[in-house]
C-alpha cells in the first residue's frame, strides 16, 4: 500500500498500487478552477532573488518549476529580482500552471524572512484554511534544492496522517557528503550537533524522531493551521525558517519530527562553491547569526 494525495479530496487516502519508483502528491493546477483546499492539500513555497537571469541558480529554479509541473505540485514563489517581470514570466512558464510568482512587497515583508512570510500567507490563502486546515500542509525549500520535489511525499506524509505537526527533513549522510561542498558538509554537521545538543532540554525535541534535526538543511513543512507561528515572527534572515518551529515546539507543545531523505544537491553548486573561501566565509557568517539568534536566544 502507498499513500496517494487525491486532488478531489484533501484527506489522505490509502490505495493499493503496484510498485513504482515513487508516488507523489497529485494536485490540480493553479487555474481559476483550483483555488481552494478542496483542490489542494500541499503547497510548496520558496523565495527568489537573481541579479540577472544568467545567475547560476536561476536555471535550478527553472528546473524546480519544471519538476513541480511534472509532479503536479502547487508552488508559490515570492521574488525580489531587479528584473521581476522577466523572472516571473520564465518561472511561471516553466511551471505550466502549477507555479504562481509574486513580487515581494517590501513595504510589509522585509528581507528573506519577509519573503518567506509573504509566500506562506499566499499559500495559506490558496489552501483556504477555514476548511480542513489541519488536513493541509505548507512546505518550504530553497529554489536550488530541486531534488526536494522528489521527496515531498515523504516529508508531508507524517503531517497529513496526523503523526506530527512539523517535519524537518534530514539528508542521508552518504549523499550529504558526496553531493555537497566538503566545507559545507563539515560546517553544517558541526552546527547540527550544537543545536541538537541545546534542544534536548525541551521535551518536544526528546522524542526519538526529533533528536537529530537537520537544522542547516533548510527545508521544513508544517500543518497549515500553524501558519500564524511563522507569520508572527519578524526576523529577516535564515532565522525566520527555524525559530518559528522552535517556538511552536517549546511554547505550544507542537510535535516535530525528522524524516531522512536521499537528497542530492545540484552538482553545479558543489562545483561553484567547493574550495572557494568566499563561500566558507559566508557560511561562517551564517553560523554566527544562527548561534546567536537560534542558539543563545531560543535554545539556551
Amino acid at each position: 500500500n502507498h499513500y496517494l494525495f487525491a486532488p478531489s479530496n484533501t484527506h489522505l487516502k490509502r490505495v493499493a498500487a503496484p510498485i513504482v519508483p515513487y508516488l507523489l502528491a497529485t494536485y490540480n493546477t493553479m487555474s481559476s478552477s483550483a483555488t481552494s483546499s478542496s483542490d489542494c492539500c500541499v503547497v510548496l513555497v520558496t523565495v527568489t532573488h537573481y541579479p540577472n537571469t544568467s545567475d547560476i541558480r536561476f536555471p535550478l529554479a527553472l528546473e524546480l518549476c519544471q519538476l513541480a509541473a511534472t509532479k503536479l505540485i502547487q508552488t508559490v514563489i515570492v521574488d525580489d529580482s531587479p528584473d521581476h517581470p522577466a523572472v516571473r514570466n520564465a518561472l511561471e512558464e516553466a511551471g505550466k500552471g502549477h507555479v504562481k510568482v509574486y513580487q515581494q512587497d517590501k513595504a510589509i515583508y522585509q528581507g528573506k524572512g519577509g519573503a518567506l512570510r509573504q509566500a506562506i500567507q499566499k499559500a495559506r490563502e490558496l489552501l483556504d484554511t477555514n476548511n480542513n486546515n489541519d488536513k493541509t500542509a505548507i512546505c518550504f525549500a530553497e529554489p536550488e534544492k530541486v531534488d526536494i520535489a522528489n521527496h515531498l511525499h515523504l516529508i508531508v506524509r507524517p503531517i497529513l496522517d496526523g503523526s506530527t505537526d512539523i517535519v524537518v527533513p534530514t539528508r542521508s549522510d552518504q549523499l550529504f557528503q558526496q553531493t555537497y561542498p566538503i566545507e559545507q558538509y563539515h560546517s553544517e554537521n558541526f552546527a547540527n550537533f550544537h543545536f541538537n545538543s541545546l534542544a534536548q532540554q525541551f521535551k518536544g525535541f526528546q522524542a526519538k524522531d526529533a533528536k537529530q534535526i537537520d537544522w542547516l538543511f533548510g527545508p521544513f513543512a508544517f500543518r497549515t493551521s500553524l501558519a500564524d507561528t511563522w507569520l508572527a515572527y519578524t526576523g529577516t534572515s535564515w532565522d525566520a525558517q527555524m525559530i518559528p518551529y522552535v517556538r511552536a515546539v517549546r511554547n505550544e507543545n507542537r510535535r516535530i519530527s525528522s524524516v531522512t531523505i536521499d537528497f542530492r544537491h545540484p552538482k553545479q553548486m558543489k562545483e561553484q562553491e567547493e574550495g572557494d573561501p568566499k563561500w566558507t566565509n559566508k557560511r561562517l557568517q551564517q553560523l554566527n547569526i544562527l548561534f546567536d539568534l537560534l542558539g543563545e536566544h531560543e535554545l539556551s
Side-chain angles (χ1 to χ4, degrees):
N1 286 339
H2 299 273
Y3 283 115
L4 177 65
F5 307 125
S8 61
N9 195 315
T10 59
H11 291 79
L12 193 64
K13 294 183 177 180
R14 184 181 288 274
V15 298
I19 296 176
V20 292
Y22 45 73
L23 282 174
L24 192 56
T26 304
Y27 317 114
N28 283 351
T29 65
M30 274 188 168
S31 64
S32 59
S33 63
T35 57
S36 73
S37 61
S38 62
D39 299 304
C40 173
C41 61
V42 177
V43 173
L44 177 65
V45 301
T46 192
V47 300
T48 54
H49 176 93
Y50 304 107
N52 51 65
T53 54
S54 63
D55 189 296
I56 189 174
R57 287 167 173 73
F58 184 65
L60 293 172
L62 291 175
E63 189 176 345
L64 176 65
C65 293
Q66 291 165 353
L67 191 55
T70 300
K71 305 291 186 186
L72 307 179
I73 301 171
Q74 297 269 31
T75 303
V76 169
I77 299 174
V78 170
D79 175 67
D80 184 38
S81 300
D83 191 358
H84 170 72
V87 170
R88 178 196 62 216
N89 293 341
L91 294 176
E92 289 189 345
E93 182 178 356
K96 297 180 179 178
H98 294 84
V99 174
K100 179 64 177 175
V101 182
Y102 299 90
Q103 186 168 22
Q104 183 172 356
D105 183 355
K106 290 188 284 189
I108 302 174
Y109 303 101
Q110 290 84 37
K112 179 182 179 182
L116 171 61
R117 289 187 287 277
Q118 184 177 350
I120 289 173
Q121 177 62 36
K122 293 296 185 181
R124 184 168 68 169
E125 293 170 3
L126 177 65
L127 288 164
D128 183 10
T129 57
N130 290 322
N131 181 23
N132 292 325
N133 58 339
D134 277 339
K135 301 294 185 180
T136 63
I138 296 171
C139 181
F140 166 80
E142 292 87 348
E144 63 269 17
K145 291 185 168 70
V146 179
D147 191 39
I148 205 73
N150 289 319
H151 307 283
L152 186 62
H153 61 305
L154 297 175
I155 296 169
V156 301
R157 179 182 295 170
I159 296 173
L160 297 183
D161 70 14
S163 301
T164 194
D165 300 306
I166 303 160
V167 171
V168 179
T170 295
R171 296 162 284 193
S172 62
D173 189 69
Q174 182 178 8
L175 287 175
F176 185 10
Q177 187 170 12
Q178 287 178 355
T179 65
Y180 274 75
I182 191 63
E183 305 91 343
Q184 187 173 1
Y185 171 75
H186 288 294
S187 67
E188 294 188 354
N189 265 320
F190 167 71
N192 284 337
F193 280 123
H194 177 67
F195 294 133
N196 280 318
S197 178
L198 291 174
Q200 287 308 296
Q201 65 185 293
F202 302 109
K203 183 178 179 180
F205 289 101
Q206 295 171 7
K208 182 179 179 180
D209 57 356
K211 288 185 175 181
Q212 298 299 322
I213 299 295
D214 194 348
W215 301 84
L216 272 289
F217 185 12
F220 62 90
F222 59 90
R223 194 177 305 282
T224 307
S225 57
L226 301 184
D228 281 338
T229 303
W230 273 264
L231 296 175
Y233 184 70
T234 59
T236 59
S237 190
W238 303 286
D239 53 307
Q241 299 167 214
M242 307 171 191
I243 289 178
Y245 64 70
V246 170
R247 292 181 178 179
V249 174
R250 186 191 64 199
N251 302 338
E252 303 172 24
N253 296 317
R254 297 296 183 173
R255 299 164 297 170
I256 190 169
S257 302
S258 178
V259 174
T260 300
I261 60 174
D262 292 327
F263 176 80
R264 293 179 180 273
H265 200 52
K267 62 180 182 179
Q268 51 268 60
M269 300 291 292
K270 180 180 175 75
E271 291 170 355
Q272 181 197 40
E273 298 177 8
E274 192 167 73
D276 187 340
K278 176 182 70 176
W279 290 100
T280 52
N281 185 59
K282 178 181 178 180
R283 293 193 182 95
L284 178 59
Q285 293 177 21
Q286 179 186 30
L287 292 185
N288 286 334
I289 292 172
L290 293 177
F291 269 52
D292 178 31
L293 296 179
L294 178 60
E296 293 296 323
H297 290 84
E298 300 293 333
L299 293 173
S300 296

